[in-house]
Amino acid sequence: MIVEWKLIQIFFSSIGTSLTSSKTSLSKLLKAQECHQYAGFCQLAQARCEHMIGNWCAEAYALTEAARSFLLSEHSVQDIHCPSFQEHLNAAINCYSHAIRVFLENKLCAMAAALSIELGNSLKTLGRPGEAVQHYHRAAELQLQNPLECLDSLGRIASAKIMIGDYEGALSTMTEMDYLAHERGVTTSDGLQPIGAFADILARCEVSRVLLLLLLQPTPQRIRPEHAQILEKYSWESSDDDINSSCISEDLFLLLQSLVMACQSRDTEALKCHQTELWPLLSSEQNHLLHLVLEEVAHPSSQVV
């Protein structure tokens, strides 16, 4: 019986290998002809063949390639503004999810996290940043043992929340990033100042949190203590120690300090001058927030946080 079972395994293995080879050739041909959805179906069939012969690594690769093919097809549909039920996008999400599950079953969390980020980026590109957030969250959870990678995923979450207008959620995520970078970041020999990429992340968090707080304008009763400390840091009573302990340059610190005071006094003209000076020092995302701050001061909304 043992011999018969081994012969059966060898037989199906040889069949699976030959089928995989033919489907790989066909998927390449279809991709060259820009028939991406049909190439995706071939790659799905290839993944089933790899699963049948127990080759999980090739199975995950075929699933990933199928997901990318379906995404290309979805992009083609959107480019010509053709009505659809997003069936190609749904197929891509299912393929990504299956590939992530295969990697997790084989203890490859880094690969699973990378695919989660890839899926989130694809959804963001397709104008679905709200759906991308959950995939970035999954990546961050899988990267907890690697602080830099985890901070990168959290940064993507914050950016996606800003895109959908969830500024309070973005502020909470930035605060979580600040805490993680301080707790697990690489610091100088005296242990006081973060260095390298962690310093850059903290600088981004500090500037973005100041802008988000100016945009949200939380009431004294509802502002969190750590957020109140940030605004106090940029008041006129701030000391040289505040500047030295900050991860941003002195020029940027003073400009943000002037921006906070202009917002508090609701001086629109001063805000416009500060916007011109801050523009080259900020990222595109931060400049977008600064523009929203200026609009909020000029035309206050009725919503109070």
Side-chain angles (χ1 to χ4, degrees), residues 95-156:
C95 289
Y96 271 121
S97 299
H98 193 173
I100 289 168
R101 187 165 66 250
V102 170
F103 280 127
L104 289 177
E105 287 172 354
N106 291 277
K107 313 300 182 187
L108 290 176
C109 293
M111 295 296 293
L115 284 186
S116 295
I117 291 173
E118 185 177 324
L119 175 53
N121 290 342
S122 300
L123 289 168
K124 195 174 173 182
T125 304
L126 289 166
R128 296 166 174 262
E131 295 179 27
V133 169
Q134 60 177 321
H135 301 290
Y136 291 143
H137 263 299
R138 178 165 57 177
E141 290 171 357
L142 293 170
Q143 294 167 329
L144 284 176
Q145 301 304 316
N146 301 290
L148 267 181
E149 287 81 357
C150 184
L151 285 166
D152 176 72
S153 296
L154 289 172
R156 294 174 190 273

Side-chain angles (χ1 to χ4, degrees), residues 1 5 18 28 33 66 95 116 120 130 134 139 149-150 152 164 184 187 199 216 219 230-231 243 260 263 276 304:
M1 290 293 293
W5 175 243
S18 61
K28 288 180 179 179
Q33 295 176 354
C95 289
S116 295
Q134 60 177 321
E149 287 81 357
C150 184
D152 176 72
I164 62 176
R184 302 186 60 187
T187 59
L216 291 169
T219 60
I230 294 172
L231 292 179
I243 300 176
V260 171
C263 281
T276 304
V304 179

Side-chain angles (χ1 to χ4, degrees), residues 69-290:
S69 294
F70 286 127
L71 277 177
L72 286 171
S73 185
E74 182 66 25
H75 278 290
S76 299
V77 171
Q78 289 203 4
D79 288 343
I80 61 175
H81 303 287
C82 179
S84 73
F85 294 104
Q86 289 85 42
E87 61 271 14
H88 301 312
L89 178 59
N90 292 329
I93 293 172
N94 289 334
C95 289
Y96 271 121
S97 299
H98 193 173
I100 289 168
R101 187 165 66 250
V102 170
F103 280 127
L104 289 177
E105 287 172 354
N106 291 277
K107 313 300 182 187
L108 290 176
C109 293
M111 295 296 293
L115 284 186
S116 295
I117 291 173
E118 185 177 324
L119 175 53
N121 290 342
S122 300
L123 289 168
K124 195 174 173 182
T125 304
L126 289 166
R128 296 166 174 262
E131 295 179 27
V133 169
Q134 60 177 321
H135 301 290
Y136 291 143
H137 263 299
R138 178 165 57 177
E141 290 171 357
L142 293 170
Q143 294 167 329
L144 284 176
Q145 301 304 316
N146 301 290
L148 267 181
E149 287 81 357
C150 184
L151 285 166
D152 176 72
S153 296
L154 289 172
R156 294 174 190 273
I157 293 171
S159 297
K161 287 183 176 180
I162 289 172
M163 288 182 69
I164 62 176
D166 182 10
Y167 304 118
E168 195 166 0
L171 179 60
S172 298
T173 303
M174 287 284 184
T175 302
E176 184 181 353
M177 289 173 64
D178 183 83
Y179 174 77
L180 180 61
H182 273 112
E183 183 183 21
R184 302 186 60 187
V186 179
T187 59
T188 54
S189 56
D190 56 9
L192 297 177
Q193 282 287 87
I195 58 175
F198 291 100
D200 294 337
I201 291 169
L202 285 170
R204 175 198 173 188
C205 289
E206 184 162 339
V207 174
S208 296
R209 287 200 294 170
V210 169
L211 294 171
L212 285 166
L213 284 168
L214 293 177
L215 176 60
L216 291 169
Q217 298 179 9
T219 60
Q221 295 80 14
R222 296 194 59 184
I223 190 169
R224 291 167 58 177
E226 58 268 30
H227 295 158
Q229 289 175 2
I230 294 172
L231 292 179
E232 289 172 7
K233 182 178 178 180
Y234 288 93
S235 65
W236 287 123
E237 291 78 15
S238 60
S239 62
D240 292 337
D241 292 336
D242 290 325
I243 300 176
N244 295 331
S245 63
S246 178
C247 292
I248 62 178
S249 65
E250 183 176 352
D251 290 342
L252 182 54
F253 183 93
L254 294 174
L255 283 170
L256 285 175
Q257 188 179 57
S258 300
L259 182 72
V260 171
M261 297 305 295
C263 281
Q264 291 174 347
S265 60
R266 309 194 73 80
D267 189 343
T268 308
E269 292 303 317
L271 277 174
K272 290 179 180 178
C273 293
H274 296 320
Q275 183 184 31
T276 304
E277 295 175 314
L278 281 166
W279 195 268
L281 302 177
L282 303 180
S283 66
S284 58
E285 180 180 278
Q286 291 166 346
N287 277 316
H288 171 64
L289 290 173
L290 179 56

Side-chain angles (χ1 to χ4, degrees), residues 10-23:
I10 293 170
F11 174 73
F12 280 108
S13 177
S14 62
I15 293 176
T17 303
S18 61
L19 286 173
T20 296
S21 178
S22 62
K23 286 177 173 58

Side-chain angles (χ1 to χ4, degrees), residues 215-217 266 292 295-305:
L215 176 60
L216 291 169
Q217 298 179 9
R266 309 194 73 80
L292 293 176
E295 289 294 312
E296 179 63 25
V297 173
H299 309 285
S301 63
S302 58
Q303 183 178 3
V304 179
V305 177

